[in-house]
Amino acid sequence: MMLRRFCCFSTSASSSFASAPLSSLNKKRRLVFLGSPQVSASVLDALFSASSAPDSLFEVAAIVTQPPSGRDRGRKITPSPVAQRALDKGFPSDLIFAPVKAGEESFLENFKSLEPELCVTAAYGNILPSKVLKIPSLGTVNIHPSLLPLYRGAAPVQRALEDGVKETGVSLAFTVRQLDAGPVISCQRIDVDDQIKAPELLELLFAQGSELLLRELPSIFDGSAKRKAEEQDESKATLAPKITPKESWLSFDQEAITLHNKVRAFAGWPGTRAKVMIVDPQNGQSNTTELKIITTRVYNGAKAQSGDADDVVFNKGSLIFPCGRQTALEVLEVQLPGKKVVNASAFWNGLRGQKLKRI
């Protein structure tokens, strides 16, 4: 079946989410949540918590997420983090939908039957067609981890870090057919630390986005949010295209700050990689290997370079890679293929006197 539910993952539902009489359901607004990855699960937690309050204005009527996928070496089929979180909370499995595409007729029929008043999306990962957007009477709102209209698209946090921004934020906006272009209800700005990586920043922004959503829900339900929402300035719009594994390679011809920002941006997935050469000074034999670069910072010390221009030296617990424009990158943690992440000291000791060169 194209429409997939999660009945196979849950045999019973907690009494806290048990079906209630229609008369009691009508007292609360029916909200449907759409999300998939772990950061979305934190938003779902916030909605569950708020909806359980005695004076809550809404209930979580259903959840829409990405289909189950094989996530480990055994290719065991597992639900998305959002689906798993809902099941762990005892949410009814027959109210968790995972269509391959949101425009599937079978899904649309079930979605309409829910009579949702509001949809909330947070990193759902699927484009919502007009047929879906027209169903909720109050519309659809999205938690987007950027200051719209900046960084519209699939990878706003990663592209912002790659650009080395000093400030970013999270926006709550109405969803329209054009990508991330709907009127903005509210936003929250934050300063960006020059060491924070994408997974940590994503977590922080979605946590703040949850607070923003809960604060604005009353205005969304009474209609005032639509009146106050501001149209985006299209002249300031920038795009944040999806990251590809091909982009993960580092080129040490670039400046150190560019490489450092890329390491931060691509942390988690797909990571950043570099080709290095390990040379035995006794016999001159060399071996080229791939090195995953985990944690870095820009080197600001005195000139550490000695010998050939491509030599990597070890200094105070860091591998110092020479980079473009006479800059240098401190590499603090690395990972060899098939090995665990280690700090620079452990890696350098493992070389046993061999030289390390950049490529």
Side-chain angles (χ1 to χ4, degrees):
M1 294 177 64
M2 294 298 289
L3 173 66
R4 305 181 188 183
R5 297 192 185 184
F6 284 82
C7 301
C8 57
F9 294 109
S10 178
T11 57
S12 63
S14 167
S15 59
S16 63
F17 287 106
S19 298
L22 184 60
S23 59
S24 64
L25 291 179
N26 289 338
K27 293 180 181 179
K28 292 187 176 184
R29 302 299 186 101
R30 296 176 62 77
L31 182 152
V32 174
F33 178 72
L34 300 90
S36 299
Q38 190 62 45
V39 288
S40 304
S42 66
V43 180
L44 181 60
D45 281 341
L47 288 171
F48 277 155
S49 179
S51 66
S52 65
D55 59 347
S56 173
L57 298 173
F58 70 96
E59 63 167 354
V60 180
I63 293 167
V64 183
T65 189
Q66 291 280 20
S69 62
R71 294 180 182 274
D72 55 25
R73 291 182 180 180
R75 304 305 294 171
K76 180 181 178 182
I77 301 300
T78 56
S80 73
V82 160
Q84 188 61 60
R85 183 66 57 85
L87 294 169
D88 291 343
K89 293 285 187 178
F91 193 79
S93 58
D94 61 341
L95 293 177
I96 302 174
F97 300 90
V100 175
K101 293 185 178 180
E104 295 172 10
E105 287 302 323
S106 54
F107 167 68
L108 288 172
E109 290 178 10
N110 283 275
F111 191 62
K112 287 178 183 177
S113 68
L114 293 169
E115 298 182 350
E117 294 176 78
L118 177 68
C119 287
V120 172
T121 62
Y124 169 44
N126 232 335
I127 295 176
L128 298 180
S130 298
K131 290 181 180 179
V132 172
L133 296 177
K134 291 177 181 177
I135 292 175
S137 57
L138 294 172
T140 298
V141 296
N142 178 46
I143 296 174
H144 186 77
S146 81
L147 296 173
L148 292 171
L150 302 178
Y151 298 105
R152 295 176 178 175
V157 168
Q158 293 88 338
R159 296 304 183 186
L161 287 178
E162 188 179 15
D163 288 346
V165 300
K166 302 299 182 184
E167 180 187 63
T168 187
V170 60
S171 302
L172 184 67
F174 284 105
T175 301
V176 296
R177 281 293 293 145
Q178 186 181 348
L179 182 65
D180 298 324
V184 176
I185 301 168
S186 185
C187 65
Q188 179 71 45
R189 297 176 179 272
I190 68 163
D191 293 330
V192 179
D193 181 88
D194 63 5
Q195 289 297 125
I196 195 168
K197 297 179 182 179
E200 291 79 22
L201 185 54
L202 274 165
E203 184 178 348
L204 173 60
L205 290 175
F206 275 99
Q208 295 209 351
S210 300
E211 297 178 5
L212 201 62
L213 171 66
L214 295 180
R215 190 160 64 241
E216 294 294 342
L217 274 178
S219 69
I220 295 171
F221 287 136
D222 69 22
S224 60
K226 281 196 173 181
R227 294 191 293 273
K228 75 174 184 178
E230 297 183 359
E231 296 290 337
Q232 296 184 37
D233 185 345
E234 290 295 324
S235 68
K236 297 180 180 179
T238 61
L239 296 179
K242 183 179 179 180
I243 292 170
T244 66
K246 291 182 180 180
E247 296 180 75
S248 65
W249 290 103
L250 298 180
S251 172
F252 292 106
D253 292 335
Q254 295 181 302
E255 290 187 58
I257 184 62
T258 300
L259 300 180
H260 172 61
N261 288 335
K262 189 170 185 176
V263 170
R264 298 163 58 215
F266 289 21
W269 190 92
T272 44
R273 302 172 291 168
K275 291 285 188 181
V276 296
M277 183 181 295
I278 299 174
V279 181
D280 189 331
Q282 293 184 353
N283 56 27
Q285 291 184 347
S286 63
N287 177 45
T288 299
T289 188
E290 176 184 317
L291 193 63
K292 196 166 186 178
I293 309 299
I294 306 298
T295 303
T296 61
R297 63 182 173 222
V298 176
Y299 180 69
N300 291 316
K303 185 177 180 181
Q305 188 62 40
S306 63
D308 294 339
D310 292 330
D311 283 352
V312 177
V313 300
F314 182 75
N315 183 46
K316 297 180 180 180
S318 301
L319 299 168
I320 311 298
F321 280 75
C323 302
R325 291 182 176 270
Q326 297 185 325
T327 61
L329 183 70
E330 283 191 69
V331 176
L332 308 176
E333 291 181 307
V334 297
Q335 184 179 17
L336 285 166
K339 304 294 184 180
K340 294 182 179 179
V341 174
V342 296
N343 61 35
S345 296
F347 176 79
W348 187 259
N349 291 336
L351 292 177
R352 300 182 182 276
Q354 298 179 100
K355 289 186 175 182
L356 186 67
K357 291 178 176 290
R358 69 171 193 173
I359 296 178

